[in-house]
C-alpha cells in the first residue's frame, strides 16, 4: 500500500480537489494524507492569536472571513443537493465550534484544537466529493492513531498498533483518506506535528504500515538545488539519498517538514516528491542509494541564535563541554552548529524559549555572548574526505560575504556556514552561480 500526501495548494480549491481524483483513482490500495486548504492554517493561527489577547471582535471577523471562503467553495465543489447540504452542515459545525472559543478561557490547548480544524475540514469535504462521484473511500480519523510521546516525538509503537487496527476495521477497502498534521499528545490532548507537519504524517504512516512508497505531492516538480522563492534558475534534483534529503529538510528546504525523512529512512521506504500541477514531471526520488560525490543543493534556515561561550579557565579542560551540553539538554534545546577553539565554543540554536535560563546557568562558569538574527546556509551533497576542492568552491563563491561560523566534517553530507540573516539572499545567489 502506498501513502500519498497532498499539500495545501493541491487541495486549495474545488478545481484542485477535482483534479486530485485523477491521481488517486487507479484502484491500487492507498492512504491519502491531506493538508488543510492553502491559507487555512495561517488564518487559524491569526484567529488563535486574536483569542489569546482577548480581541474577540477581531477573532469573530476572522472566523467569518474564513467561513465565507469555505462556503464559496461548496457550489464549485459539489453538484448534488445531498453533497451541498452535507458540506454546509460540516462547515457550520466547525465554524460554530471556532466561535465557541470567543466565549471562554483560551490556553494553548484551545489553540491546538483550533489549528486542527483545517485538516478535519479538507479531508471531510474531499471525502464527500468522492462519495458524490461514487468513488468508494474511507475517512480515517488521524486522532485515533497519530500520537506523540512525552518528548513530543512520534510514538511509533502506538501509531503502528493503532493505524493497523484502524485499517483492519475496513476489510476489502482500498482507498483511505486521513488528516495530515494533527495528532494527540502524550496526555491524549489534540496536538499537531508543527507547521508543514502533513509531510511528517505521511512518512510516519508509511513507516508504521511498512508502505512500499511514500509520495509527497506539492506545487513544484521536486526538491530544487536552491530555494526557488529566492533564487532564479533553480532546477529539480532527480535523486537524493535519505541523508542528503534529511539535511536539506532540516536546514530549511520548505518542500519537506524538517524531520520527516527519518521515519522513511528507518524503514528504508522510498520517498518521491511529485508535482500535482505537472503530474508527469519526474520529481525527486529519495532512497538509501548513494548518489555519488557532488554538491547537490543549498538551503537556508532563519531565526538562528549563536551563543559564544568562553571558558573561565585558560583551556577547554575536559568536562567543560559536558557541563555546557548538559545545560542545553536539561532545557531540551537542540544545538544545530558547533565550533570550538582552544578556550571558546560557539554554538547555534533555533529554539530560544529557554535562552535566558540557559545563559544564566552558563554564566556561572563562563563568559557568554549572544548574537541573534542569523541564518545557517547549508550546502548539501556527498563530500568524501578523500576528494579535494569542495571547500574552495564554496568559499570562493562566498568570498564577499562575512561568515560568522563554519561547520565542515561533522557529516559527509553537509557544510554549514552562519551569516547575518540580511545576507542570506546574497549568499544563496552567490552559491547558485558559484556551485551549479
Ligand atoms: P505544501 O503546501 O504542498 O506542503 P510547501 O509550501 O510546504 O507545499 O512546500 C513547497 C514549496 O517549498 C515550494 O512551492 C517552494 O517554494 C518551496 N521550496 C523551498 N525550498 C525548496 C527547494 N529546495 N525545492 C523545492 N521547493 C522549495
Ligand atoms: N496545514 C499545516 C500547515 O500549514 C500542515 C501542512 O500543511 O503540512 O502547516
Ligand atoms: Mg509543506
Amino acid at each position: 500500500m502506498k501513502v500519498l500526501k497532498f499539500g495545501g495548494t493541491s487541495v486549495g480549491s474545488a478545481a484542485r480537489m477535482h483534479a486530485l481524483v485523477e491521481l488517486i483513482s487507479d484502484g491500487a490500495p492507498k492512504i491519502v494524507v491531506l493538508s488543510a486548504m492553502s491559507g487555512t492554517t495561517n488564518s487559524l493561527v491569526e484567529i488563535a492569536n486574536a483569542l489569546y489577547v482577548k480581541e474577540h471582535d477581531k477573532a469573530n471577523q476572522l472566523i467569518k472571513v474564513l467561513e465565507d471562503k469555505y462556503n464559496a467553495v461548496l457550489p464549485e465543489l459539489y453538484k448534488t443537493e445531498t453533497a451541498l447540504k452535507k458540506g454546509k452542515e460540516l462547515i457550520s459545525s466547525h465554524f460554530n465550534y471556532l466561535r465557541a472559543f470567543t466565549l471562554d478561557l483560551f490556553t494553548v490547548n484551545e489553540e491546538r484544537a483550533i489549528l486542527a480544524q483545517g485538516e478535519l475540514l479538507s479531508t471531510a469535504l474531499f471525502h464527500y466529493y468522492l462519495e458524490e462521484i461514487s468513488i468508494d473511500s474511507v475517512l480515517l480519523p488521524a486522532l485515533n492513531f497519530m500520537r506523540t510521546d512525552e518528548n513530543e516525538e512520534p510514538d511509533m509503537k502506538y501509531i503502528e498498533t493503532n493505524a493497523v487496527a484502524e485499517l483492519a476495521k475496513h476489510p476489502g477497502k482500498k482507498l483511505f483518506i486521513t488528516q495530515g498534521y494533527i495528532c494527540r499528545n502524550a496526555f491524549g490532548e489534540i496536538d499537531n506535528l508543527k507547521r508543514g507537519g502533513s509531510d511528517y504524517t505521511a512518512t510516519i504512516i508509511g513507516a508504521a504500515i511498512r508502505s512500499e512508497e511514500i509520495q509527497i505531492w506539492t506545487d513544484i516538480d521536486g526538491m530544487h538545488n536552491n530555494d526557488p522563492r529566492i533564487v532564479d534558475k533553480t532546477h529539480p534534483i532527480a535523486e537524493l539519498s535519505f541523508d542528503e534529503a534529511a539535511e536539506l529538510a532540516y536546514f530549511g528546504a520548505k518542500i519537506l517538514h524538517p524531520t520527516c525523512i527519518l521515519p522513511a529512512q528507518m524503514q528504508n521506504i522510498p520517498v518521491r516528491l511529485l508535482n500535482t500541477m505537472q503530474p508527469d514531471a519526474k520529481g525527486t526520488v529519495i532512497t538509501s542509494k548513494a548518489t555519488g560525490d557532488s554538491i547537490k543543493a543549498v538551503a537556508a534556515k532563519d531565526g538562528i541564535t549563536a551563543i559564544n561561550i568562553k571558558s573561565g579557565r585558560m583551556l577547554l579542560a575536559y568536562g567543560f563541554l559536558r557541563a555546557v551540553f548538559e545545560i542545553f539538554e536539561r532545557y531540551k534545546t537542540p544545538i544545530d552548529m558547533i565550533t570550538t577553539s582552544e578556550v571558546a565554543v560557539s554554538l547555534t540554536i533555533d529554539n530560544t524559549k529557554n535562552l535566558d535560563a540557559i545563559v544564566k546557568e552558563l554564566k556561572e562558569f563562563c563568559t557568554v555572548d549572544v548574537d541573534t538574527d542569523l541564518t545557517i546556509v547549508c550546502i548539501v551533497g556527498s563530500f568524501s574526505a578523500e576528494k579535494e576542492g569542495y571547500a574552495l568552491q564554496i568559499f570562493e563563491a562566498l568570498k564577499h560575504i562575512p561568515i560568522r561560523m563554519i561547520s565542515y566534517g561533522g557529516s559527509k553530507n553537509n557544510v554549514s556556514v552562519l551569516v547575518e540573516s540580511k545576507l542570506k539572499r546574497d549568499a544563496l545567489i552567490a552559491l547558485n552561480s558559484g556551485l551549479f
Side-chain angles (χ1 to χ4, degrees):
M1 177 130 73
K2 288 187 186 174
V3 178
L4 285 73
K5 175 259 172 176
F6 294 89
T9 19
S10 307
V11 291
S13 64
R16 296 285 6 136
M17 288 204 193
H18 292 165
L20 209 152
V21 173
E22 286 280 293
L23 304 172
I24 61 165
S25 49
D26 60 1
K30 52 178 74 67
I31 299 181
V32 173
V33 175
L34 300 185
S35 294
M37 295 176 78
S38 48
T40 301
T41 310
N42 287 344
S43 300
L44 294 171
V45 169
E46 263 190 273
I47 291 167
N49 288 343
L51 289 171
Y52 263 124
V53 293
K54 297 196 165 48
E55 290 186 13
H56 292 144
D57 289 345
K58 183 177 172 194
N60 273 320
Q61 266 170 30
L62 292 167
I63 293 170
K64 174 82 170 60
V65 170
L66 191 61
E67 184 176 22
D68 288 348
K69 262 202 209 164
Y70 273 83
N71 277 318
V73 168
L74 292 182
E76 293 168 17
L77 183 59
Y78 306 126
K79 282 207 181 78
T80 62
E81 277 309 313
T82 323
L84 273 168
K85 184 161 174 281
K86 282 179 84 166
K88 267 197 194 122
E89 281 167 11
L90 177 86
I91 290 172
S92 78
S93 95
H94 282 271
F95 282 88
N96 287 340
Y97 177 73
L98 289 182
R99 266 186 283 273
F101 292 109
T102 61
L103 308 172
D104 212 345
L105 186 74
F106 198 77
T107 70
V108 67
N109 286 333
E110 282 73 30
E111 176 182 12
R112 289 165 180 159
I114 285 189
L115 296 185
Q117 301 310 305
E119 273 70 11
L120 292 169
L121 275 163
S122 64
T123 47
L125 289 172
F126 184 64
H127 179 61
Y128 295 164
Y129 177 60
L130 292 177
E131 245 173 29
E132 182 181 55
I133 58 171
S134 304
I135 292 181
D136 191 24
S137 71
V138 176
L139 187 58
L140 287 184
L143 296 178
N144 286 2
F145 59 90
M146 290 298 292
R147 197 178 173 110
T148 50
D149 62 18
E150 56 285 357
N151 296 316
E152 296 179 37
E153 301 281 350
D155 185 339
M156 284 310 291
K157 273 253 142 55
Y158 180 96
I159 295 168
E160 244 178 77
T161 313
N162 288 279
V164 169
E166 200 66 38
L167 290 168
K169 287 184 193 164
H170 308 279
K173 299 288 180 183
K174 289 196 168 157
L175 181 56
F176 297 91
I177 315 293
T178 194
Q179 299 84 23
Y181 178 58
I182 65 175
C183 62
R184 291 193 185 275
N185 59 26
F187 309 103
E189 299 153 344
I190 295 180
D191 209 328
N192 61 66
L193 300 170
K194 312 271 155 45
R195 297 306 305 271
S198 298
D199 304 328
Y200 206 14
T201 303
T203 58
I204 292 168
I205 295 178
I209 64 157
R210 309 289 190 267
S211 174
E212 71 214 57
E213 181 172 291
I214 298 156
Q215 300 180 350
I216 311 274
W217 288 82
T218 180
D219 57 4
I220 191 164
D221 52 350
M223 177 72 79
H224 278 220
N225 65 320
N226 205 326
D227 191 330
R229 296 166 299 179
I230 295 177
V231 178
D232 291 334
K233 297 199 188 108
T234 58
H235 59 79
I237 308 163
E239 286 178 47
L240 285 171
S241 68
F242 285 126
D243 288 332
E244 291 166 341
E247 299 273 9
L248 286 168
Y250 187 74
F251 287 106
K254 190 189 172 232
I255 185 171
L256 290 174
H257 175 278
T259 54
C260 76
I261 290 299
L262 191 66
Q265 183 167 21
M266 300 288 277
Q267 299 298 336
N268 196 16
I269 302 168
V271 179
R272 214 174 268 282
L273 311 183
L274 294 159
N275 187 353
T276 37
M277 320 294 160
Q278 223 183 304
D280 298 329
K282 217 167 132 209
T284 301
V285 62
I286 302 163
T287 63
S288 58
K289 209 173 94 193
T291 50
D293 260 11
S294 65
I295 295 176
K296 303 277 178 0
V298 178
K301 181 169 167 177
D302 292 321
I304 301 296
T305 297
I307 306 169
N308 307 303
I309 303 157
K310 269 213 181 81
S311 162
R313 282 171 282 170
M314 271 306 284
L315 295 171
L316 275 175
Y318 58 84
F320 174 75
L321 286 177
R322 193 197 60 202
V324 168
F325 289 141
E326 269 176 0
I327 294 173
F328 287 85
E329 188 183 342
R330 225 171 315 119
Y331 288 100
K332 293 193 175 169
T333 301
I335 295 167
D336 284 334
M337 274 176 86
I338 166 155
T339 58
T340 60
S341 72
E342 197 180 4
V343 292
V345 47
S346 292
L347 45 84
T348 70
I349 59 172
D350 71 341
N351 176 356
T352 50
K353 197 171 126 205
N354 294 310
L355 181 61
D356 290 346
I358 290 171
V359 169
K360 188 162 171 262
E361 289 201 29
L362 286 169
K363 279 190 170 160
E364 283 169 20
F365 61 99
C366 28
T367 56
V368 183
D369 277 324
V370 174
D371 232 346
T372 56
D373 298 322
L374 301 170
T375 292
I376 295 176
V377 175
C378 180
I379 298 99
V380 171
S382 295
F383 315 110
S384 69
E386 291 74 40
K387 210 158 163 193
E388 72 287 337
Y390 291 129
L392 177 66
Q393 242 183 306
I394 292 166
F395 294 109
E396 177 68 27
L398 292 176
K399 66 183 174 205
H400 61 292
I401 301 214
I403 292 174
R404 296 297 189 88
M405 243 170 106
I406 299 169
S407 166
Y408 181 25
S411 96
K412 279 199 324 200
N413 301 107
N414 155 346
V415 179
S416 298
V417 295
L418 187 68
V419 301
E420 279 183 60
S421 294
K422 61 177 193 238
L423 298 174
K424 167 176 92 167
R425 191 186 175 79
D426 276 0
L428 290 181
I429 293 171
L431 286 167
N432 221 50
S433 38
L435 300 181
F436 305 112

